[in-house]
Amino acid sequence: MESEMKCNLSEMWSSKMPKGLDLEISHHPMTMRRVANLIIAMERLKAGTSESVLSTEFRDENLLNIMMENIVEEHIVLELSSAPPVQFSRTGEYQCSVTDSQKRSLVLVENSMELHAVMLQGGSDNRKVHLNMSTYVHPSPSTEARPVALGIKDTNLYLSCHKKGDVPTLHLEAVEDKSSLLRISPESEMVQFLFYKRDSGLNISTLMSASFPDWYISTAEHDNKPVEMCMESAKRYRTFNIQRQNPDTNQHS
């Protein structure tokens, strides 16, 4: 049976081989798997051979090259790393007190829904606003600045920056569903609540709008004026002393 199988295979392929080549099966014993592999190899060899072969110059290495080009398959393995986050994801929240570089505190003026920078006298610290600062992971992490959201303690009011006319302006906006600030898509309108906190010293930071680069939260030269957005070239104070507070520090203030 084995001899007949070898004979039949040789006859089958003798008419299909390039001129000058003959097929001789010498492996023993012949199994059906080896027969199948041999048929697949010869089909690839036959399909991929386009040039005529001269019997007097066709050597073993020529056959090996053809077989390597047509039989050996290349498998490319791609090493996949974990994809970076595609959203601003909140990592934590803490209370903080904020004063500008002139040691003025932030005070909420409810009639105009504005924050003013005010030099508070003794006994009036209860007017001082404390902020809840939420921190985020940036989709493209930066070691120089960190995204934050700034909410007024014990309220649902958050600082936001969006255009009023052609100029980016600072606003206080109510956020009814605070869970909407847990994850923020870079393309969503919620980015207006994000600011880049860049530290320049111990507790000394600037707060730049995430929506409008180079526009900063700032205070005026004169006392009791609104906190507004400004560019770096403006004659306003852009640095703040931001000190983290323990949760119970200001319960009685």
Side-chain angles (χ1 to χ4, degrees):
M1 177 65 70
E2 180 182 332
S3 177
E4 290 178 3
M5 184 179 296
K6 289 194 297 180
C7 182
N8 291 337
L9 283 172
S10 296
E11 292 176 358
M12 180 190 310
W13 292 106
S14 60
S15 61
K16 301 180 180 180
M17 293 294 291
K19 185 179 179 181
L21 292 180
D22 195 9
L23 175 67
E24 179 180 350
I25 302 174
S26 58
H27 195 284
H28 300 282
M30 178 61 67
T31 65
M32 289 306 296
R33 170 175 285 187
R34 292 194 177 95
V35 171
N37 289 339
L38 180 59
I39 292 173
I40 294 172
M42 292 309 300
E43 285 290 347
R44 291 181 178 178
L45 176 62
K46 178 167 65 67
T49 305
S50 58
E51 58 179 316
S52 60
V53 181
L54 299 178
S55 60
T56 56
E57 298 182 3
F58 194 78
R59 300 188 298 272
D60 290 344
E61 54 265 33
N62 298 120
L63 177 61
L64 179 60
N65 289 337
I66 293 175
M67 293 184 70
M68 291 297 291
E69 291 174 359
N70 293 277
I71 297 175
V72 177
E73 296 181 354
E74 181 180 9
H75 295 276
I76 300 176
V77 179
L78 298 178
E79 183 178 353
L80 299 178
S81 58
S82 58
V86 295
Q87 296 179 318
F88 293 92
S89 299
R90 195 174 79 173
T91 57
E93 183 181 79
Y94 60 88
Q95 295 177 19
C96 58
S97 64
V98 179
T99 54
D100 69 0
S101 58
Q102 305 304 299
K103 301 185 184 303
R104 294 178 297 190
S105 300
L106 303 185
V107 172
L108 175 61
V109 181
E110 296 186 5
N111 291 337
S112 59
M113 288 298 290
E114 293 177 336
L115 289 176
H116 285 201
V118 178
M119 184 68 70
L120 294 177
Q121 303 299 323
S124 58
D125 280 351
N126 59 333
R127 297 178 57 200
K128 182 177 182 178
V129 161
H130 294 273
L131 300 180
N132 289 330
M133 178 175 288
S134 300
T135 56
Y136 293 78
V137 172
H138 194 291
S140 301
S142 169
T143 57
E144 296 182 355
R146 185 166 192 177
V148 298
L150 303 168
I152 296 180
K153 180 187 172 186
D154 298 328
T155 74
N156 62 351
L157 297 175
Y158 282 79
L159 277 70
S160 71
C161 178
H162 57 81
K163 281 187 175 180
K164 187 175 182 180
D166 296 329
V167 180
T169 53
L170 188 67
H171 304 267
L172 284 177
E173 294 193 34
V175 177
E176 301 299 337
D177 182 11
K178 293 185 179 181
S179 64
S180 63
L181 294 175
L182 292 177
R183 293 178 181 83
I184 299 177
S185 169
E187 292 79 24
S188 75
E189 293 183 356
M190 299 301 287
V191 175
Q192 67 185 10
F193 292 102
L194 295 179
F195 299 86
Y196 289 123
K197 178 176 177 286
R198 187 185 302 270
D199 300 328
S200 57
L202 182 62
N203 299 326
I204 304 300
S205 308
T206 57
L207 297 164
M208 184 183 74
S209 169
S211 298
F212 303 98
D214 300 325
W215 285 83
Y216 296 84
I217 297 178
S218 65
T219 58
E221 291 183 306
H222 302 290
D223 193 39
N224 202 14
K225 295 295 182 181
V227 179
E228 297 176 348
M229 303 301 298
C230 80
M231 299 193 74
E232 190 170 358
S233 57
K235 293 182 179 180
R236 294 177 62 88
Y237 301 109
R238 297 181 299 109
T239 58
F240 294 89
N241 185 295
I242 303 176
Q243 294 193 5
R244 185 166 182 164
Q245 304 288 298
N246 293 325
D248 298 329
T249 299
N250 302 300
Q251 279 188 353
H252 303 291
S253 60

